[in-house]
Amino acid sequence: MHNLWDAAEAAHYTDDLHQRVYTSRLLGREQALVLHGGGNTSVKSTVSNIFGEDEPILYVKGSGWDLATIEAAGFAPVRMQHLLRLAQLETLSDAAMARELKAATIDPSAPAPSVEAILHAILPYKFVDHTHADAVVAITNTPDGRAYVEDVYGDSIVIVPYIMPGFALARHCAEHFPREAHAGTIGMLLMNHGIFSFGATAHESYDRMIALVSRAEAYLQQRNAWHISLPPAAPITRPIRDELALLRSRVCAVAGFPLVMTTHDDERSLGFARHPDIRTLAQQGPLTPDHVIRTRRVPLIGRDVQGYRAAYEQYFAEHAPRSSQPLTMLDPAPRVILDAEFGLCVLGRHAQDAAIVYDIYSHTIENILRATALGGYRALDAASLFEVEYWDLEQAKLKRQGAPPEFAGEVALVTGAASGIGRACAETLLKRGAAVVGLDINPEIEHTFQQAGWLGVQCDITNEAALFETLEKAVRRFGGLDMLILNAGIFSSSRPIADLTLKEWQGVLDVNLNANVTLLREAYPLLKLAPRSGRVVVIGTRNVAAPGKGAAAYSVSKAALTQLARVATLEWSRDNIRVNMIHPDAVFDTAIWTDEVLQSRAAAYGMTVEAYKSRNLLRTEVSSYDVAAMAAAMCGSLFAKTTGAQVPLDGGNERVV
Ligand code: ZN
């Protein structure tokens, strides 16, 4: 474990709180120490209150902040005296504790203090660092974990058996730590959970954390339990998009809502999924109890989603009666799937959630293998994990998130997404929670948006092989296809039929029409499996109803596309796939409308460019975002009972009305 302390950098952080920020970020930089919101840190300081009195304060990590990116505002300032008195109570429900912690902060705009705040307060050291270090949990999660830990650390640390985080753990430590600690104590280890270090300065506490974790790593190395190799595993090469989409649709059906599913077939993921003992190794439970919220207690091995559901329902039925209050079962769908052919599939309500599950499970794989090499992997018992999964504080956190966005867990594919209407559609769907695959001939498509829910693929849609490859990539990334926005189109040049070459004519038809035949055909099996039914939106043009001179190829291609979409409407209604069309006009903020095209189209109507731009009944310009909003509406509940509609979006046109 590398020590990242940099004296020059640290010198920029002058007071207690900022020193705390600095080393917290150092911890957060290392995934082998903390993952996605895991771990927490604190510093004890004093602040001058409104009466001019010095008041002892614990600055402790606020809920919702990540150590990697935490700022001073991410630490909740809590009155020390209140925390120490709470630690003396015989009992306190965790809900009451959370309320007390919030009430004891001196700043009402501060985040909710970490549930481990009382534990930080009772440790008699200025700086306290807490991580869920990989090496430490790899050692504790074994049948002889306690003996190994004593072997590694001797009496330099206090060892605490597993106790549910929250008040019970703080209460236990308040009683036992002072008895067991001595002048040489530099840390505290929580079995099956993680490790604490502390010190008089941020530097000392951080150094000790690195030293403690390094000792655990060295111990694993000495016992050949650090770098564990697996037999090489090659991914399957045949197309699997339909099989993946079927698996996702089954999981979504059990969940009761759509989820994004990302498939990883890197050598590690595949090697683990094909491990001969996978059923034993992967059915124990997570590395630390907090992972249960993201990964569920166990993954699904193979594809028997109904079997998983039954097992989850049984797990709930078995443990729920011990709860002091009635519990509502969470959805019984897996979030991690290990399949010998596919590798590792991770699921989340958003692509970002699936990415977090992947990070957590990759570390889980690594440390299950290490623990197995050391002496056998043993996670916490199901009852303890159930307690954390259904902990009222975690349930409250889920409730606070509110209703998910409109298209959460759904996947859209938009053609011609690097600019204009396509880009606006992609942006609008992303904002409404969908994962979006954007296709464009322009290589910039890959970087059009920077977020987990975006996959930009440079693709010539007239090339069938390239389209197949892109669909395969899309389904491996997001698990299926729920919405298809056929937008890509070209307008080659204004030319009367008398001058039209067959080559130009065919070029326009290839992009505007023929590519969409392939795309519709290939997308159909995926759309059929969409958890909330498939939707197709075709971006047509006002020219379909009201063609213009000199635009034969463009008008014909879009009219044929409209007719194609109408036939798809008829053929696919039995699969509940809805197909709707938008006929925009006067959308001048798109790549098609170069100055040249604008001038030539205005000339074709015998108008100036200005007059041409506002020649509709409402004398208005339509923007790409107006079209995108209509496309999103057609994918949403407003159009749930509409298929085969053709909606003009043109400011009103005398020849159309
Ligand atoms: Zn913890």
Side-chain angles (χ1 to χ4, degrees):
M1 179 59 56
H2 294 293
N3 191 315
L4 304 173
W5 176 270
D6 178 336
E9 210 182 341
H12 296 300
Y13 299 86
T14 46
D15 58 16
D16 287 347
L17 180 57
H18 288 87
Q19 284 274 306
R20 180 65 286 172
V21 169
Y22 174 58
T23 56
S24 301
R25 286 188 194 165
L26 294 187
L27 296 175
R29 252 193 250 171
E30 186 53 74
Q31 285 209 331
L33 289 176
V34 293
L35 271 172
H36 300 292
N40 42 56
T41 57
S42 69
V43 60
K44 298 175 183 78
S45 190
T46 48
V47 295
S48 181
N49 67 19
I50 194 90
F51 308 109
E53 301 152 353
D54 278 348
E55 198 168 3
I57 291 295
L58 177 81
Y59 285 105
V60 64
K61 196 197 97 159
S63 160
W65 285 79
D66 199 288
L67 289 183
T69 52
I70 199 160
E71 294 163 20
F75 287 90
V78 198
R79 292 189 177 91
M80 268 299 282
Q81 208 197 353
H82 200 82
L83 290 169
L84 295 175
R85 285 190 70 189
L86 289 175
Q88 299 306 316
L89 291 174
E90 276 309 315
T91 57
L92 181 65
S93 79
D94 286 324
M97 178 187 77
R99 201 166 56 235
E100 286 297 321
L101 294 181
K102 186 77 184 149
T105 59
I106 59 165
D107 177 358
S109 66
S114 159
V115 295
E116 278 157 357
I118 299 175
L119 183 46
H120 280 259
I122 57 107
L123 294 170
Y125 308 89
K126 189 170 174 73
F127 286 86
V128 176
D129 294 24
H130 167 50
T131 71
H132 300 164
D134 280 359
V136 171
V137 291
I139 292 174
T140 65
N141 290 14
T142 52
D144 297 323
R146 173 106 195 185
Y148 295 137
V149 166
E150 285 168 1
D151 209 9
V152 177
Y153 296 113
D155 71 345
S156 62
I157 58 164
V158 169
I159 301 170
V160 180
Y162 176 77
I163 295 169
M164 166 99 168
F167 186 74
L169 178 60
R171 185 76 192 79
H172 176 95
C173 294
E175 202 177 321
H176 290 262
F177 187 84
R179 283 190 218 151
E180 294 173 32
H182 52 81
T185 302
I186 60 166
M188 178 171 79
L189 184 140
L190 311 178
M191 293 298 291
N192 301 87
H193 176 162
I195 189 160
F196 281 76
S197 66
F198 21 73
T201 63
H203 192 183
E204 183 178 49
S205 187
Y206 174 75
D207 272 357
R208 284 175 172 174
M209 176 59 73
I210 301 303
L212 288 168
V213 175
S214 297
R215 274 159 78 175
E217 290 182 354
Y219 187 79
L220 288 165
Q221 276 162 5
Q222 284 156 18
R223 293 172 174 241
N224 294 323
W226 185 244
H227 291 294
I228 313 295
S229 55
L230 291 172
I236 43 170
T237 46
R238 68 178 157 80
I240 51 170
R241 59 180 181 271
D242 293 351
E243 293 165 73
L244 286 175
L246 178 64
L247 178 59
R248 168 182 175 253
S249 84
R250 287 181 176 158
V251 175
C252 296
V254 166
F257 48 78
L259 289 154
V260 166
M261 182 176 93
T262 306
T263 301
H264 296 269
D265 59 3
D266 54 279
E267 213 177 288
R268 211 64 183 157
S269 300
L270 261 183
F272 189 68
R274 293 177 188 172
H275 196 291
D277 298 329
I278 188 66
R279 291 201 175 265
T280 324
L281 295 183
Q283 293 297 299
Q284 303 280 316
L287 291 180
T288 68
D290 58 319
H291 290 175
V292 80
I293 309 299
R294 294 282 189 180
T295 63
R296 291 285 151 96
R297 191 178 76 84
V298 291
L300 163 62
I301 295 169
R303 301 177 205 174
D304 179 9
V305 182
Q306 287 305 333
Y308 187 94
R309 172 198 203 132
Y312 189 91
E313 284 168 350
Q314 200 192 332
Y315 158 75
F316 182 81
E318 196 178 323
H319 298 288
R322 279 185 294 102
S323 169
S324 54
Q325 55 210 328
L327 297 175
T328 311
M329 192 179 79
L330 299 168
D331 73 85
R335 295 298 186 272
V336 178
I337 299 174
L338 290 160
D339 181 88
E341 274 198 298
F342 301 155
L344 170 62
C345 306
V346 287
L347 294 114
R349 208 64 221 273
H350 190 274
Q352 178 61 28
D353 298 322
I356 290 174
V357 175
Y358 174 69
D359 284 346
I360 291 175
Y361 209 76
S362 302
H363 282 261
T364 305
I365 289 174
E366 222 47 58
N367 292 293
I368 284 178
L369 294 173
R370 286 170 183 158
T372 304
L374 183 65
Y377 180 66
R378 183 190 283 172
L380 273 178
D381 56 288
S384 301
L385 290 164
F386 182 88
E387 247 185 329
V388 174
E389 191 173 355
Y390 283 88
W391 192 9
D392 45 6
L393 296 187
E394 291 294 354
Q395 298 277 310
K397 233 189 259 177
L398 294 177
K399 275 184 200 130
R400 272 201 303 276
Q401 288 173 354
E406 186 179 6
F407 297 125
E410 296 201 274
V411 186
L413 187 147
V414 182
T415 62
S419 63
I421 292 173
R423 188 194 163 116
C425 286
E427 190 179 326
T428 302
L429 293 167
L430 283 168
K431 275 192 184 143
R432 298 189 191 189
V436 178
V437 183
L439 275 55
D440 208 289
I441 191 110
N442 181 345
E444 279 168 28
I445 188 73
E446 286 168 24
H447 310 288
T448 304
F449 302 99
Q450 302 287 341
Q451 49 179 290
W454 170 249
L455 173 64
V457 186
Q458 185 193 10
C459 175
D460 173 0
I461 58 170
T462 63
N463 177 338
E464 273 204 335
L467 265 187
F468 293 170
E469 203 182 303
T470 300
L471 282 172
E472 195 69 20
K473 203 186 268 186
V475 177
R476 283 173 192 239
R477 178 66 66 86
F478 295 132
L481 182 60
D482 307 318
M483 297 170 270
L484 177 62
I485 316 291
L486 299 178
N487 162 72
I490 54 170
F491 187 105
S492 66
S493 61
S494 286
R495 207 184 291 282
I497 293 167
D499 296 337
L500 193 58
T501 66
L502 198 56
K503 188 164 178 263
E504 191 175 333
W505 167 264
Q506 272 169 347
V508 173
L509 262 66
D510 278 346
V511 176
N512 295 6
L513 178 63
N514 300 345
N516 290 316
V517 176
T518 309
L519 205 41
L520 284 168
R521 186 189 68 225
E522 296 300 315
Y524 173 60
L526 301 172
L527 291 167
K528 258 203 307 195
L529 292 167
R532 294 201 304 182
S533 302
R535 285 140 281 168
V536 178
V537 176
V538 172
I539 310 296
T541 168
R542 181 265 310 165
N543 282 32
V544 171
K549 286 184 278 186
Y554 181 76
S555 302
V556 166
S557 67
K558 289 287 192 179
L561 175 61
T562 302
Q563 196 73 342
L564 178 69
R566 294 174 73 200
V567 176
T569 307
L570 298 172
E571 290 183 357
W572 295 355
S573 58
R574 64 164 189 265
D575 303 303
N576 273 325
I577 299 172
R578 298 188 279 109
V579 184
N580 290 296
M581 292 146 262
I582 307 172
H583 292 312
D585 190 27
V587 186
F588 297 111
D589 60 345
T590 70
I592 281 185
W593 289 100
T594 58
D595 282 348
E596 195 191 337
V597 172
L598 204 49
Q599 272 161 22
S600 67
R601 294 314 301 154
Y605 286 85
M607 289 176 169
T608 64
V609 167
E610 276 317 298
Y612 178 74
K613 274 181 135 181
S614 57
R615 73 194 186 289
N616 55 55
L617 294 171
L618 296 173
R619 298 186 187 289
T620 185
E621 245 188 74
V622 178
S623 82
S624 292
Y625 288 93
D626 295 329
V627 182
M630 178 62 77
M634 286 177 162
C635 292
S637 57
L638 194 61
F639 278 70
K641 295 176 182 178
T642 300
T643 190
Q646 299 187 44
V647 177
L649 191 50
D650 55 8
N653 186 299
E654 279 179 352
R655 293 168 59 207
V656 176
V657 297

